Amino acid sequence: QVQLVESGGEMAQAGGSLRLSCQASGRTFSRYAMAWFRQAPGKRRELVAAISSNEETNYADSVKGRFTISRDNAKNTMYLQMNSLNPAHSSVYYCAAEDGSSSKPRMFGYQYWGRGTQFTVSS
């Protein structure tokens, strides 16, 4: 069972920067596909950015050029560096992982989910 814990959120000022972290358990973190999602109240969960085991990345159009996803396999940690923040970025952000070897049902293609970290960008 992979455990994911997000940290680094809460509040930021418009135009500022913030980095979210996702700490993962597991012996084979380097093999995991990882992603950040966000979900605002009353809205569906949306992909923000994803990074594969070979560090290929994908981003939602709305965050290209603003956010950077990365991973540090030695630390079992994934990051989301967020720059040029505005209030539209305010949400609950979730860390997700896919290890490719479990029979656990997948949601949006990912097996494991953190509990989320909320942050608000003030104008």
Side-chain angles (χ1 to χ4, degrees):
Q1 181 72 33
V2 177
Q3 304 289 338
L4 304 173
V5 180
E6 303 96 338
S7 63
E10 290 196 354
M11 291 187 292
Q13 296 183 37
S17 298
L18 195 67
R19 188 176 73 165
L20 302 182
S21 299
C22 173
Q23 180 72 39
S25 67
R27 299 173 298 180
T28 56
F29 176 80
S30 63
R31 295 182 62 251
Y32 303 165
M34 303 291 295
W36 288 99
F37 288 75
R38 64 187 175 196
Q39 186 170 21
K43 304 295 183 181
R44 66 186 299 271
R45 194 164 297 187
E46 301 281 357
L47 177 69
V48 177
I51 184 166
S52 72
S53 60
N54 63 359
E55 301 192 16
E56 297 177 351
T57 59
N58 287 301
Y59 296 92
D61 288 342
S62 62
V63 305
K64 289 180 179 178
R66 295 175 181 263
F67 292 6
T68 302
I69 188 170
S70 62
R71 63 194 298 161
D72 186 338
N73 292 337
K75 297 180 179 180
N76 272 29
T77 303
M78 176 182 65
Y79 304 98
L80 185 67
Q81 178 66 46
M82 303 179 290
N83 299 324
S84 301
L85 290 167
N86 63 62
H89 297 129
S90 300
S91 190
V92 177
Y93 283 70
Y94 296 89
C95 175
E98 161 61 44
D99 66 14
S101 63
S102 174
S103 61
K104 182 180 179 180
R106 292 163 172 80
M107 181 172 67
F108 301 108
Y110 293 86
Q111 299 166 301
Y112 306 102
W113 294 83
R115 294 180 179 180
T117 183
Q118 179 175 317
F119 81 95
T120 300
V121 182
S122 60
S123 60

